[in-house]
Amino acid sequence: MPKAMPKTMIEHVNLTVSDGQRSAELFSSLFDWHVRWQGPGRDGGHSIHVGDATFYLVFYTPSDDSGSPKQFAKGGALNHVGLLVDDLLEIKQRVIAAGLETFAHERYDPGERFYFFDWDGIEYEIVSYA
């Protein structure tokens, strides 16, 4: 009998942004998350870990003065980050209150979703199965 695979889950997603503090504040306000850790990051940059007890996003700001997250060559194939919520309408209202636009609102089997871009062009899908 084959050995069962160990349980797997995503612990974090590391994203390069132009202003880690701004991103940390946005996601703290959207999802009632908190800063789990922050400090020096790779190559002299700065990292802020924002999430809950199980999962977090890392907002990494490079040390260069360009302000452009495009300087970090990896990850070009990322389409979006999907986040599951209980109250889709509440999160949509919070995204709009933060000055960001939502789009592609869809109901589908088995749930409902919308998308938004942050200030760095990173796309997020917010989904609910409630």
Side-chain angles (χ1 to χ4, degrees):
M1 177 178 249
K3 183 177 178 181
M5 291 295 293
K7 180 181 174 184
T8 304
M9 63 180 279
I10 295 175
E11 181 216 17
H12 72 274
V13 174
N14 190 317
L15 302 165
T16 300
V17 297
S18 58
D19 184 338
Q21 187 62 43
R22 176 177 64 177
S23 295
E25 289 171 4
L26 172 66
F27 282 83
S28 293
S29 70
L30 291 181
F31 304 113
D32 298 327
W33 287 352
H34 64 277
V35 173
R36 293 170 43 133
W37 178 86
Q38 67 176 308
R42 178 181 164 171
D43 299 328
H46 186 78
S47 292
I48 304 175
H49 297 191
V50 179
D52 60 20
T54 305
F55 170 81
Y56 60 97
L57 295 176
V58 178
F59 297 110
Y60 170 77
T61 306
S63 63
D64 71 318
D65 293 328
S66 71
S68 172
K70 309 283 187 263
Q71 299 301 316
F72 200 69
K74 296 190 295 181
L78 176 70
N79 289 317
H80 63 259
V81 176
L83 298 164
L84 177 66
V85 300
D86 289 336
D87 189 338
L88 195 70
L89 181 57
E90 174 65 26
I91 301 304
K92 178 182 171 185
Q93 292 170 340
R94 291 180 186 194
V95 170
I96 292 168
L100 299 169
E101 294 183 33
T102 64
F103 63 95
H105 305 264
E106 296 179 294
R107 287 187 178 188
Y108 64 103
D109 188 21
E112 189 174 356
R113 66 182 169 210
F114 71 87
Y115 296 80
F116 73 93
F117 287 103
D118 72 2
W119 302 281
D120 294 303
I122 300 169
E123 184 178 61
Y124 298 88
E125 176 184 358
I126 309 302
V127 63
S128 178
Y129 301 119

